[in-house]
Amino acid sequence: MVIPLVAAERQNLETLMLAENQLVELAREGNERAIRMIIQRYNRRLFRTARAIIRDDAEAEDIVQAAYVQAFTHLALFRGKARLSTWLTRIVLNEALGRIRRQRKTTGLEDLDMQLKNHGGQVLQFPMSLAVSDPEMELSRSEVRTLLEHAVDGLPVDFRAVFVLRDVEGMSTEETSAHLDIRIETVKTRLHRARKLMRVAIEKQLAGAFSALFPFDGSRCSSMADRVIVALQSRTKA
């Protein structure tokens, strides 16, 4: 039996099916549903982009919010020469870099190469894509994610931005180049160095854990001793 959609549900479904340019036109007219749909489509990418620069969840959210306000206020300036996601990402990057300039007196993404020293930061909360019902598996996923997030946080800001867009968001080299407004060769170089730094950071964090692999102590050890004693006693009796 087909359940008929109510008017609101039908409108929501129709909005979901709209192409980007149609959503932009509706948003220009102040259509709230279209604005919400655009936000839902790009929230994760923009948050990850801001978080890759700032390394603070609360400030990254504030940056994304400010970028949305700026974008929807000046949506008439969007000419469609680039994708909407590219335009929004550039606004987020400019907002994030502007804050870094004010905080650290640096000058722009290209000029931030290797200027920021590796230091601890809050953990980047990448969303879990799969629901996990097993508590032990969920804990294991959480530990691995935390390990990776700390390694990402330790990257220099320019490498971190490329790594997040390429390996976390899954953008192509060309898309990353357009979003960050840097050359394709620069994207490739930074990604290669970022992956190398990630590998070194993860190896360092894991090095101290190797001695704990395959534990055989406690009750397992005692149980083994008990079984050996029983086996020896049975042989003696025989």
Side-chain angles (χ1 to χ4, degrees), residues 116-203:
L116 298 182
K117 302 295 183 180
N118 294 345
H119 59 80
Q122 295 183 15
V123 176
L124 177 56
Q125 297 298 328
F126 295 156
M128 297 289 284
S129 58
L130 300 175
V132 182
S133 57
D134 185 348
E136 291 187 4
M137 185 178 295
E138 187 171 2
L139 177 61
S140 177
R141 280 178 177 270
S142 177
E143 291 173 343
V144 171
R145 187 179 65 182
T146 299
L147 174 70
L148 293 173
E149 289 170 351
H150 278 303
V152 171
D153 265 353
L155 294 173
V157 63
D158 48 355
F159 294 175
R160 195 164 64 244
V162 168
F163 182 83
V164 168
L165 293 185
R166 281 285 284 113
D167 282 357
V168 179
E169 271 301 300
M171 289 188 190
S172 67
T173 301
E174 292 74 16
E175 288 175 320
T176 304
S177 170
H179 278 71
L180 297 179
D181 195 23
I182 57 178
R183 295 181 302 118
I184 288 177
E185 292 75 14
T186 304
V187 172
K188 293 178 179 178
T189 299
R190 290 183 181 179
L191 181 62
H192 174 75
R193 296 166 95 177
R195 286 172 174 170
K196 185 175 181 179
L197 289 172
M198 283 283 291
R199 183 168 61 250
V200 171
I202 291 171
E203 287 174 352

Side-chain angles (χ1 to χ4, degrees), residues 103-116:
Q103 293 170 3
R104 303 180 184 274
K105 297 181 180 179
T106 55
T107 53
L109 190 61
E110 288 286 354
D111 298 322
L112 285 168
D113 280 344
M114 302 303 291
Q115 287 186 12
L116 298 182

